[in-house]
Amino acid sequence: MKILLIGATGTLGTAVHRTLTGRGHEVLTVGRSGGELRHDISDPAQTAALYERAGRVDAVACAAGDVPYKRVAEAAPDDYLAAFRGKVLSQIDLVRQGIPRVAERGSFTLITGVLAREPIPTGSAASMANGALESFVRAAAIEIAPQRVNAVSPTVFTESLADYGDFFPGMPPVALDDVAQAYVRSVEGAQTGQVYVP
Amino acid sequence: MKILLIGATGTLGTAVHRTLTGRGHEVLTVGRSGGELRHDISDPAQTAALYERAGRVDAVACAAGDVPYKRVAEAAPDDYLAAFRGKVLSQIDLVRQGIPRVAERGSFTLITGVLAREPIPTGSAASMANGALESFVRAAAIEIAPQRVNAVSPTVFTESLADYGDFFPGMPPVALDDVAQAYVRSVEGAQTGQVYVP
């Protein structure tokens, strides 16, 4: 398949890229500052330009999303708005603008995360963003069929424990290769409206 | 208790008002166009003014939230932004600004809805908003204790079936009195971070 991979040069995106190319897919890499196509999907105009340049694709996989981490009492409305624009609206717009661009039975795979279900201090904007996307995926799935849309919702990566492990005490980490397999499941499988927890 | 009730003159708010006053609570009614205090909580400045006028309260209960209904393919980024501002950020801001205003063991009760779990066509912005809030509630709860925050997540009201029943085929409706009891459970109970499905 021809697959558009957004956030392709990040920690997760690199693993997804390796796994998808290893399975014989043609992967077009997209990033704000790396990859073959340079676009910031938090700007709808850049998403439109990205689809224009990419041409017809069989699948869109996203491994990019930015949210601020602050305590509720110290956050401002702009922090929640930044999380909304940086992770929620950006990915919703990938689906919305992608509908006429992606193959008839093509798929969208979005990135969410464990904070939708299990909170951590300072994580309320991330929780909000992930919960928003997981409900959106269920709703969009029933409208866009036979195109499909799923979310991948990992916990902290095993490879990131040195940096972020302290924020997830006692929570089992997940290896990047296993997260990448959830993308494979979404892209090559037949289900839609699912939230895959690798 | 002294309870601030936002959206007090709407279909749900009227039922919540009747139930809370029936249990002996002092309820301050708030609405955009009705109630004792006229404030639009989608504007953070008006939420600040509302708390300034209301003074110390024991609980904040919200029965107000606006989202547009459109198919994903026909929606624009502004539609999702409107849902975010009209239901998500408005209620997050009630909590955020309420922390220094509400009693030490006071509570916040937010309104979400069944579309977080069960989608309907044209409902993706509503699903997104409800999912966002249900995850936010879990995250905020662990930070604001001993203050509490819960969500009430009803399906279509029995009393609204004539207007909206066609959008929820085969889904069991819920009586407004039962939804109001979920607010009682949140306000008078001791749990936090819960999503009550009446």
Side-chain angles (χ1 to χ4, degrees):
Chain A
M1 294 185 198
K2 181 176 170 188
I3 302 171
L4 201 58
L5 175 60
I6 295 97
T9 60
T11 302
L12 173 58
T14 301
V16 174
H17 186 211
R18 183 176 59 238
T19 298
L20 292 176
T21 53
R23 294 180 67 83
H25 296 297
E26 175 195 350
V27 179
L28 260 172
T29 58
V30 184
R32 278 184 303 200
S33 53
E36 297 157 87
L37 304 175
R38 305 283 170 93
H39 294 270
D40 178 351
I41 62 161
S42 70
D43 174 357
Q46 291 201 39
T47 299
L50 167 61
Y51 276 122
E52 198 63 43
R53 285 177 65 191
R56 191 89 167 167
V57 296
D58 298 296
V60 176
C62 186
D66 280 331
V67 297
Y69 283 78
K70 287 187 186 174
R71 293 188 69 85
V72 176
E74 288 152 12
D78 278 351
D79 291 312
Y80 292 100
L81 199 58
F84 182 71
R85 288 189 188 279
K87 189 164 187 180
V88 183
L89 192 56
S90 54
Q91 295 193 88
I92 287 178
D93 218 42
L94 268 183
V95 176
R96 192 185 65 82
Q97 295 200 45
I99 293 171
R101 306 289 190 160
V102 169
E104 189 188 356
R105 293 185 170 273
S107 67
F108 301 90
T109 306
L110 310 185
I111 182 70
T112 63
V114 66
L115 300 188
R117 305 174 294 283
E118 305 275 351
I120 62 171
T122 77
S124 74
S127 290
M128 179 281 291
N130 293 342
L133 286 163
E134 295 186 3
S135 291
F136 170 80
V137 157
R138 284 189 282 271
I142 62 171
E143 290 189 13
I144 72 171
Q147 289 176 333
R148 300 180 300 106
V149 55
N150 298 300
V152 174
S153 190
T155 182
V156 63
F157 307 138
T158 307
E159 292 84 346
S160 301
L161 279 176
D163 293 329
Y164 301 115
D166 287 351
F167 292 98
F168 299 87
M171 292 168 73
V174 60
L176 282 166
D177 280 350
D178 291 332
V179 183
Q181 288 303 320
Y183 280 79
V184 172
R185 188 176 175 185
S186 175
V187 169
E188 299 185 21
Q191 286 186 295
T192 189
Q194 301 300 303
V195 176
Y196 292 122
V197 177
Chain B
M1 296 184 196
K2 182 177 171 188
I3 303 171
L4 201 58
L5 176 60
I6 295 97
T9 60
T11 302
L12 173 59
T14 301
V16 174
H17 185 212
R18 183 176 59 236
T19 298
L20 292 175
T21 52
R23 294 181 66 85
H25 296 297
E26 175 193 352
V27 179
L28 260 172
T29 57
V30 184
R32 278 184 303 200
S33 53
E36 298 157 86
L37 304 175
R38 305 284 170 93
H39 294 268
D40 179 352
I41 63 161
S42 69
D43 173 359
Q46 291 202 39
T47 299
L50 167 62
Y51 276 122
E52 198 62 44
R53 286 176 64 190
R56 190 87 164 170
V57 297
D58 298 296
V60 176
C62 185
D66 281 331
V67 298
Y69 283 78
K70 287 186 186 174
R71 293 188 70 85
V72 176
E74 289 151 12
D78 278 350
D79 292 311
Y80 292 100
L81 200 57
F84 181 71
R85 288 190 188 278
K87 189 162 186 180
V88 182
L89 193 55
S90 53
Q91 295 194 87
I92 287 178
D93 218 41
L94 268 183
V95 175
R96 192 186 65 82
Q97 295 201 45
I99 293 170
R101 306 289 189 159
V102 169
E104 189 188 356
R105 292 183 171 273
S107 67
F108 300 90
T109 306
L110 311 185
I111 183 69
T112 63
V114 65
L115 299 189
R117 305 175 293 286
E118 305 276 350
I120 61 171
T122 76
S124 73
S127 290
M128 179 280 290
N130 293 341
L133 285 163
E134 295 186 4
S135 291
F136 170 80
V137 157
R138 285 189 281 272
I142 62 172
E143 289 189 13
I144 71 171
Q147 289 176 333
R148 300 180 299 107
V149 55
N150 298 300
V152 174
S153 189
T155 181
V156 64
F157 307 140
T158 307
E159 292 83 346
S160 301
L161 279 177
D163 292 330
Y164 301 114
D166 287 352
F167 293 99
F168 299 88
M171 291 169 73
V174 61
L176 282 166
D177 280 351
D178 291 332
V179 183
Q181 288 301 322
Y183 280 80
V184 171
R185 188 176 175 185
S186 175
V187 169
E188 298 185 22
Q191 285 186 297
T192 189
Q194 302 299 304
V195 176
Y196 292 122
V197 177

